[in-house]
Amino acid sequence: MVKIRKTKLTTNKARAPARQRKKTEKMLDKNGDLNNLPAQPPYYLKSYARSMWTKVVPFLNSTKVIKQPDRPLVEAFCINYQILRESYKSLAEDGVQVKIFTSLQDNTGKVVGHDFTGYKPNPAVKAIDSASVKINSLGSQLGLSPSARAELASLDIDEDDTDVQEVLKGGNDEF
């Protein structure tokens, strides 16, 4: 089996081979014709997802690498962030385990009570785990992990001194 290495984006003459720099420059030239992501979140994103969109899109647009065709990745990132936050809220309110009850019925089928039968894991735990994995994967693809940001920083194409921490900083209840 032949392993294919992922192409790295770089224009750093000191550290990257000429073919790698040329591929990066070619990709950036082709991206130049594409539109940036809109600053306004899509109407169907709600709450935490909208908030994340407004924090992350300015940074992504400043990289000049993420463009309109990448919009589904950004939407998925924001939606999974919403899932993470809502699941955590459920976990905080209901705990790691939730109670299980069975209905008690009389001879006519009418529910006359509920009998406690035990506990089961809160489904929010699995949702948090799944959303975290997806956020990590999508974030890396979008340049939102430390290593991916370092790779994008090596492009030397952005004259703007955008501080990533400043872009992503938000209030405790939003981010």
Side-chain angles (χ1 to χ4, degrees), residues 64-126:
K64 299 180 183 169
V65 175
I66 307 299
K67 298 291 184 174
Q68 192 64 32
D70 305 311
R71 182 178 174 152
L73 289 174
V74 179
E75 288 179 9
F77 179 83
C78 294
I79 290 167
N80 276 282
Y81 180 73
Q82 170 109 13
I83 292 167
L84 176 79
R85 291 296 302 262
E86 288 178 354
S87 298
Y88 182 75
K89 187 176 179 181
S90 169
L91 189 63
E93 291 172 359
D94 302 327
V96 176
Q97 296 180 331
V98 293
K99 294 179 179 181
I100 303 171
F101 294 94
T102 54
S103 298
L104 301 173
Q105 300 175 339
D106 63 12
N107 59 356
T108 64
K110 181 179 175 186
V111 176
V112 293
H114 294 91
D115 195 19
F116 173 73
T117 58
Y119 291 94
K120 71 174 184 174
N122 188 334
V125 173
K126 284 186 180 178

Side-chain angles (χ1 to χ4, degrees), residues 105-166:
Q105 300 175 339
D106 63 12
N107 59 356
T108 64
K110 181 179 175 186
V111 176
V112 293
H114 294 91
D115 195 19
F116 173 73
T117 58
Y119 291 94
K120 71 174 184 174
N122 188 334
V125 173
K126 284 186 180 178
I128 289 171
D129 184 50
S130 176
S132 296
V133 168
K134 290 174 186 170
I135 287 169
N136 185 29
S137 174
L138 292 165
S140 291
Q141 291 180 52
L142 293 168
L144 299 174
S145 69
S147 62
R149 278 195 307 276
E151 189 175 306
L152 287 175
S154 72
L155 289 176
D156 296 327
I157 59 167
D158 190 9
E159 293 85 36
D160 183 19
D161 292 334
T162 303
D163 182 2
V164 175
Q165 286 182 325
E166 198 61 37

Side-chain angles (χ1 to χ4, degrees), residues 40-54 82:
Q40 184 68 24
Y43 70 91
Y44 44 85
L45 291 183
K46 304 295 180 209
S47 181
Y48 296 116
R50 283 184 80 76
S51 177
M52 179 55 74
W53 180 279
T54 60
Q82 170 109 13

